Amino acid sequence: MGRAPCCDKANVKKGPWSPEEDAKLKNYIENHGTGGNWIALPQKAGLKRCGKSCRLRWLNYLRPNIKHGEFSDDEDRIICSLFTCIGSRWSIIAAHLPGRTDNDIKNYWNTKLKKKLMEMATFAHQRRPHHGAIYPTTANSFLQNPSLQPQTSAYHSTNNNCYTTTPARVFTGGYEYMSNIPSNLLENTSSFTTCSTNSSTPTVFQTQEGHGTGLVQNYQVKDNYNNLLIFGNEASCSSSDGSGVDEDLGLLSYFGSGVDENQKFTLPANGYADDQNKATNGRFNENPLDYSIEEINQLISTNNICNNLNYSVDEIKTEEQVLYY
DNA sequence: AAACGGATCAACCGCACTCGA
DNA sequence: GTCGAGTGCGGTTGATCCGTT
């Protein structure tokens, strides 16, 4: 036995809404509200439309404060992050983007954002071996991809040679999954500063080696928590003896063909160290859409690679009620 | 200028869920 | 506990737009 139809299909209009219909619906809801009954609303409002059609038209187009037009980078990032964690729960994602509707976001994802990610996957695949670029950041920015947060409390306390730069300095380098690093190079990473624990405050440390200026020239962090190797050296550091390459134990040299201007990043001087034996918060940030090829493929094809977002789906669900007043 | 194809997005469809009788 | 009406939501469709040939 099939479900009873919600309305008399033969006597309802379908297709695009006319301005007159919009005006009738808007006027009725503004004066009387929905009355908690969409099925009865079209008749009361003098519309030959299905109640569901009225509801959709109101929610997606007529209700106040609807935002149309281009999505911002911030909105892109939120959509990507949430999609990573909860999949195609468009209504929940919409609850985090004021003025956006689930339909809008769904269309945007299907027509643009997914394509954007696929193009990035192609690009990432071309620059083999792939590695993440670390981008300029601000003191308040934060690593956007939860799965790649560097965790640092371990080497804060254990490595007295670590300190941040003052003032901020530009570095060239990147990160790479350990699984992608040739074994002979991986063997040489034993001298890397190691971190293996989770921490809410990501910090990047640099080792002081090779140069006698007292300022940092290179950094090398073995992030066992995320299976990442973070490596590079100071972009402005011209080392005639090639020590800039030696200092990163060949990693920058190995991945060097893919390191370009865009992969320089700035270590901010926030919370700077007046005591060089103490590490401070040199946070780094990656471009929010610069996922590895594996992550992009997962973003495109699956809906669950996130397991350490700061809030649960249940918490998000309570927020989604805000969307539909 | 016309034809074509891809992109976009509003709207529809149908399933699942909620809630009250 | 069951049933059915109403609602919410995600997937899909199709009309329209726009750029290219």
Side-chain angles (χ1 to χ4, degrees):
Chain A
M1 188 178 78
R3 236 188 111 74
C6 63
C7 54
D8 181 3
K9 301 278 184 192
N11 290 318
V12 297
K13 189 185 168 197
K14 288 166 72 172
W17 282 64
S18 68
E20 291 75 24
E21 289 176 307
D22 280 348
K24 272 187 182 176
L25 180 60
K26 196 161 188 275
N27 192 42
Y28 182 85
I29 292 177
E30 282 173 354
N31 288 324
H32 304 94
T34 65
N37 188 341
W38 284 104
I39 299 298
L41 188 144
Q43 196 178 10
K44 292 178 185 170
L47 289 161
K48 289 188 172 174
R49 288 276 182 176
C50 172
K52 289 177 76 168
S53 178
C54 292
R55 174 184 166 273
L56 208 63
R57 185 64 180 171
W58 172 255
L59 291 176
N60 287 341
Y61 199 81
L62 296 175
R63 73 187 161 103
N65 305 320
I66 290 282
K67 198 195 288 181
H68 293 290
E70 287 291 299
F71 281 69
S72 68
D73 288 345
D74 276 351
E75 288 175 315
D76 281 3
R77 187 172 61 246
I78 291 168
I79 294 168
C80 283
S81 297
L82 287 171
F83 187 89
T84 301
C85 299
I86 61 176
S88 55
R89 307 283 298 277
W90 305 118
S91 59
I92 298 174
I93 295 172
H96 286 254
L97 298 172
R100 299 293 188 184
T101 69
D102 52 358
N103 210 36
D104 250 1
I105 295 166
K106 179 172 58 183
N107 282 333
Y108 180 58
W109 172 265
N110 286 330
T111 61
K112 292 179 182 173
L113 206 47
K114 190 160 80 174
K115 205 174 298 173
K116 203 168 169 180
L117 287 166
M118 287 171 83
E119 283 169 6
M120 284 165 49
T122 305
F123 175 71
H125 188 65
Q126 283 169 347
R127 44 171 207 183
R128 285 181 63 80
H130 66 269
H131 55 278
I134 301 174
Y135 282 77
T137 182
T138 64
N140 292 325
S141 64
F142 195 81
L143 195 69
Q144 297 301 322
N145 185 340
S147 69
L148 290 179
Q149 286 179 11
Q151 312 300 338
T152 62
S153 58
Y155 51 89
H156 180 286
S157 58
T158 59
N159 192 328
N160 286 334
N161 289 325
C162 293
Y163 55 94
T164 57
T165 60
T166 307
R169 299 172 77 89
V170 176
F171 286 76
T172 298
Y175 58 77
E176 181 57 67
Y177 289 102
M178 289 188 207
S179 58
N180 293 328
I181 295 171
S183 55
N184 63 315
L185 290 177
L186 204 55
E187 283 169 17
N188 289 334
T189 60
S190 55
S191 67
F192 271 46
T193 300
T194 301
C195 61
S196 56
T197 60
N198 198 346
S199 165
S200 60
T201 306
T203 308
V204 169
F205 296 90
Q206 297 77 49
T207 54
Q208 179 188 9
E209 291 179 11
H211 298 268
T213 63
L215 291 175
V216 174
Q217 279 83 34
N218 72 324
Y219 62 99
Q220 45 198 43
V221 176
K222 196 173 183 178
D223 184 347
N224 288 333
Y225 184 82
N226 293 303
N227 282 320
L228 284 175
L229 215 53
I230 304 167
F231 59 91
N233 59 8
E234 192 174 5
S236 60
C237 174
S238 58
S239 58
S240 56
D241 60 356
S243 58
V245 171
D246 291 342
E247 283 166 6
D248 66 62
L249 301 171
L251 284 164
L252 192 57
S253 166
Y254 181 78
F255 294 114
S257 61
V259 175
D260 57 24
E261 284 297 308
N262 290 330
Q263 290 175 271
K264 293 177 180 176
F265 71 99
T266 302
L267 286 162
N270 63 315
Y272 83 100
D274 54 1
D275 175 355
Q276 290 190 345
N277 286 332
K278 288 181 180 174
T280 53
N281 294 336
R283 295 182 181 182
F284 75 95
N285 192 9
E286 69 166 8
N287 181 315
L289 294 180
D290 190 19
Y291 295 95
S292 74
I293 189 168
E294 289 89 350
E295 289 168 306
I296 292 168
N297 288 336
Q298 281 180 297
L299 274 171
I300 294 165
S301 62
T302 76
N303 59 15
N304 188 27
I305 67 169
C306 173
N307 56 12
N308 64 346
L309 198 69
N310 291 335
Y311 41 78
S312 70
V313 172
D314 285 343
E315 284 172 308
I316 298 170
K317 281 194 80 170
T318 62
E319 291 176 36
E320 87 181 295
Q321 294 165 2
V322 173
L323 180 62
Y324 303 112
Y325 64 96

